[in-house]
Amino acid sequence: MTDSRIAKAPLGTGGPEVGVQGLGCMGMSFAYGPTDAEEARATLERALELGVTHYDTADVYGRGENERFLAPFFAAHRDEVVIATKFAMTIPPDEPTRRIIRNDGPYIRQAIEASLKRLDVDVIDLYYMHRRDVNVPIEETVGVMAELVREGKVKQLGLSEVTGGELRAAHAVHPIAAVQSEWSLFSRDIEAGVVPAARELGVTLVPYSPLGRGFLTGSFTDADKELTADDVRRQQPRFNGDNAAKNAALLDSIRTVAEGHGASVGQIALAWVHRRAEVHGLPVVPIPGTRRRTRVEENTAATRIALTDADLGVLDAIAERVAGTRYADMTFASAGRE
């Protein structure tokens, strides 16, 4: 058991060490169609056995249901885990494709109390601003978040989908421990501004969707044809129609590298993300999401794959050939403001 545990990485300057790979918990009760609650709970436990200590959720996932689902696991292992959750985004029940973003003080106050109650904890280890409301100065938002730290409700602050400039402005108000953004073989836009700023400020990068929402595992090739009607990936341009066909063809290069390592396509995609820490000189803690024990075992094993320079030459060329944007509406993604 000990030999299979993953290495550790720091979460922000002076922050705790966490497993170098975290666990995205969204899909356990939201976004990706039907789930098996019993298997999801077993997955949480198996992840911890493997050294995964950083667990990521948000208040918007299932309108609070994801936080409630995780609460018993956190209660049983409170001293062993780092709990990350987020505020800022709501989805109207009658408009499932619409996102309402709020960064104002009263909303943040309301959100933190609700998350603390659902998670059944006294303090949240890492509290993220999930998305940026450009109508509210980021200094104002982070100022309120900093008050939560002083009040003992939050230990560390994080931001998601911010630009390099926004990160610097926020960090000047209060130290930011982590920035969460999409980063994968298919999505590298943060390398232009966000990654250099994070390196400069001592901020840990937490890549979400490092497996391209499952597409980089080869588990599906056309969202509209293969996924259930309630799966959010059917709304994302990269995974449908001509885009899906073009992007599925890109997996062939990854398969070639995978064969050389006796690994899966998904493991190579994750190994590439982990290699970003060395390439860019900063801590990188990706949070691939899964709800199955076999997948979390596969994913954590990817931390021990050493890619060669020749491998990187093949893999690095993929992103510029990807068809379609990350979201149908890139308004709230950092690349839309960078």
Side-chain angles (χ1 to χ4, degrees):
M1 186 72 70
T2 301
D3 291 342
S4 64
R5 290 178 65 85
I6 60 176
K8 295 181 179 181
L11 195 59
T13 302
E17 285 202 326
V18 296
V20 73
Q21 189 174 110
L23 182 62
C25 301
M26 178 182 75
M28 292 182 173
S29 59
F30 174 70
Y32 292 162
T35 187
D36 180 336
E38 183 176 348
E39 177 62 18
R41 283 189 286 269
T43 299
L44 293 168
E45 296 286 350
R46 182 63 177 135
L48 187 60
E49 291 174 353
L50 293 167
V52 174
T53 55
H54 176 205
Y55 294 80
D56 184 90
T57 183
D59 59 3
V60 72
Y61 299 160
R63 300 185 181 89
E65 285 305 312
N66 199 248
E67 290 179 325
R68 292 188 188 95
F69 174 80
L70 295 168
F73 170 73
F74 291 152
H77 301 285
R78 188 63 187 97
D79 295 336
E80 303 170 78
V81 300
V82 169
I83 301 171
T85 193
K86 317 177 195 71
F87 73 89
M89 188 186 304
T90 58
I91 302 174
D94 57 341
E95 297 180 81
T97 62
R98 185 182 173 209
R99 303 293 184 265
I100 298 173
I101 310 299
R102 288 185 61 180
N103 291 173
D104 57 283
Y107 180 80
I108 297 171
R109 289 282 176 183
Q110 172 187 328
I112 186 66
E113 297 301 333
S115 284
L116 287 168
K117 183 176 180 178
R118 286 189 293 263
L119 292 164
D120 194 24
V121 295
D122 296 323
V123 59
I124 290 168
D125 300 309
L126 177 60
Y127 198 44
Y128 284 100
M129 180 190 77
H130 202 164
R131 289 293 187 272
R132 170 95 164 90
D133 177 359
V134 296
N135 297 310
V136 179
I138 198 165
E139 295 87 350
E140 179 180 318
T141 299
V142 176
V144 176
M145 295 171 71
E147 292 174 4
L148 302 181
V149 176
R150 291 191 288 271
E151 293 165 11
K153 297 177 180 179
V154 172
K155 290 183 180 179
Q156 291 184 291
L157 302 185
L159 304 172
S160 180
E161 288 288 357
V162 293
T163 67
E166 289 166 348
L167 173 57
R168 288 189 173 91
H171 196 81
V173 176
H174 188 279
I176 301 299
V179 166
Q180 186 173 137
S181 285
E182 188 166 355
W183 202 5
S184 73
L185 284 170
F186 274 15
S187 302
R188 298 181 59 182
D189 51 73
I190 67 168
E191 294 175 18
V194 181
V195 171
R199 180 177 62 240
E200 171 191 324
L201 300 171
V203 177
T204 297
L205 242 298
V206 178
Y208 73 82
S209 297
L211 291 171
R213 296 174 175 81
F215 196 89
L216 285 166
T217 68
S219 61
F220 72 99
T221 57
D222 190 312
D224 192 48
K225 294 178 181 178
E226 300 174 51
L227 303 180
T228 57
D230 57 348
D231 195 306
V232 299
R233 290 171 288 188
R234 294 181 59 162
Q235 305 166 17
Q236 295 168 340
R238 287 183 175 171
F239 309 134
N240 294 280
D242 291 342
N243 287 344
K246 292 175 182 177
N247 293 333
L250 298 177
L251 300 184
D252 290 341
S253 298
I254 311 174
R255 289 191 183 96
T256 300
V257 174
E259 289 170 3
H261 288 270
S264 69
V265 174
Q267 285 178 317
I268 295 302
L270 273 176
W272 181 90
V273 174
H274 281 289
R275 184 66 179 268
R276 299 305 92 197
E278 178 183 342
V279 171
H280 293 280
L282 79 170
V284 177
V285 181
I287 49 169
T290 187
R291 45 200 178 186
R292 288 188 284 166
R293 283 168 285 181
T294 54
R295 283 296 192 192
V296 84
E297 290 165 357
E298 177 182 337
N299 291 346
T300 53
T303 66
R304 294 182 284 277
I305 294 175
L307 297 174
T308 67
D309 289 342
D311 294 333
L312 294 178
V314 173
L315 299 172
D316 287 351
I318 291 174
E320 63 186 20
R321 297 161 58 196
V322 173
T325 55
R326 293 200 273 133
Y327 299 101
D329 179 1
M330 289 289 288
T331 303
F332 300 112
S334 61
R337 301 189 306 278
E338 192 68 74

